[in-house]
Amino acid sequence: MPSPYRAIFSAPGSREFSAAGFFGRMPLSMMGIGVVTMISQLTGRYGLAGALSATLAMSAAVCGPQVSRLVDRYGQRRVLRPVTLVAVAAVAGLLICAQQGAPEWTLFVFSVGAGCVPSVGSMVRSRWAAIYRGSSRDLHTAYAWESIVDEVCFIFGPIISIGLSTAWFPEAGPLIAAGFLLVGVFWLTAQRATEPVPHPKSQHTGGSALRSRGLQVLVATFVATGAIFGGVDVVTVAFAEERGHKAAASLVLAVYALGSCLAGAVFGLLHLKGNPGSRWLLGVCAMAVSMIPLLLAGNLPLLAVALFVAGLAIAPTMVTTMALVEAHVPRTKLTEGMTWTSTGLAVGIALGSSAAGWVVDAAGAKAGYAVPVVAGALAAAVAVLGHRRLAGPAATGRRGEDDRHLRTDDDERVA
């Protein structure tokens, strides 16, 4: 590992919670695409598959911030374990209903429960923030590392999920995803020494973290960004199936994640100065422009090349986003604030996957790539209109009060 990455892992327990976070985040890349693959194999209906994937994402969007708000108040262990058990039980119900050909409404009911998955990435990043609070360079490297882990999940997750569902049995992908979630969350919450100190309800004045004007811009932009990801996932599976190589969709999507992974690894080695809001705007616009070549790809190799190039803009933008969240959200609400960005992505994935599924059914896979193109344009438009809110320091007006609470919490931890 290059020295900046070695340095952040000198903190006791950091290797363990980051590794646990890797397993806990695998369902992020496996569950949605696994459901799409499962339903398309069992029914041949991409519209239904996209709608169920959208239901999963919307449920996560609604439940995620509420779970993270409880985590900020009561701690990760007390909240995450019961929530995870509920989600895993719902996944089991979904798979049984799909396999038995149950009425469609039962699939949607269990999809809602299966979407109640905690934002494991936010939990891990909040641990890094607690360790390296006050060290912007180390925190930048830590966030870059976690973006790399995210992309490694997206490299291997679709391969495992689609590969097992096509080669073994249709329900295999979501089933293995639920197993990863269970292992990751219980391993992470077993590590008490690095768990951030919870903040009682009395410290959570001022309402939701979403009251931050800067966070509002980030979340709104990420709704459109999520539509890019959701659209690309669904359309790529359909594109590969039209050409007789459905299983190859996992490899093409892995190349997309590989581009992001490599860019994130390099970005974490840099010590950038200047306004992070401007870097974030540039990243969002680059993501939008990179969607246009997908409309021109006529075969899977060309599509893989186009997605690799598109992936180069993802991780640097995500790293900068986490730094902006940390700067614009009170520390007592940091986990919730980070989860709101994931919520924006989840809502966008829901909209993008649903829209892409209907377009594929109506006009074919190649036409479906118009969905991420339009979503990219919307993301760039929102970012351009709102990025001025990110130019200054935190606009919450509560930083001083939060710091007083946190000094007390830190003194207790040292004692």
Side-chain angles (χ1 to χ4, degrees), residues 135-206:
S135 176
S136 59
R137 184 166 189 172
D138 287 333
L139 198 54
H140 167 81
T141 305
Y143 286 157
W145 171 256
E146 293 305 324
S147 289
I148 294 170
V149 174
D150 284 338
E151 298 310 328
V152 170
C153 291
F154 277 95
I155 290 171
F156 292 104
I159 294 175
I160 295 171
S161 189
I162 298 175
L164 290 180
S165 288
T166 54
W168 196 5
F169 55 90
E171 301 84 6
L175 179 64
I176 299 300
F180 276 127
L181 177 66
L182 199 63
V183 170
V185 168
F186 274 74
W187 185 13
L188 177 67
T189 53
Q191 302 172 43
R192 305 299 298 275
T194 54
E195 181 177 345
V197 176
H199 306 288
K201 186 176 180 179
S202 60
Q203 298 181 15
H204 288 257
T205 56

Side-chain angles (χ1 to χ4, degrees), residues 312-344:
L312 296 175
I314 296 175
T317 306
M318 297 300 178
V319 173
T320 307
T321 299
M322 291 300 109
L324 289 170
V325 171
E326 202 271 337
H328 285 264
V329 172
R331 289 172 183 163
T332 56
K333 302 174 183 176
L334 182 58
T335 307
E336 181 193 348
M338 290 180 173
T339 303
W340 273 114
T341 61
S342 300
T343 294

Side-chain angles (χ1 to χ4, degrees), residues 9 52 67 132 162 244 382 401:
F9 283 106
L52 289 172
V67 171
Y132 290 117
I162 298 175
V382 174
E401 180 179 336

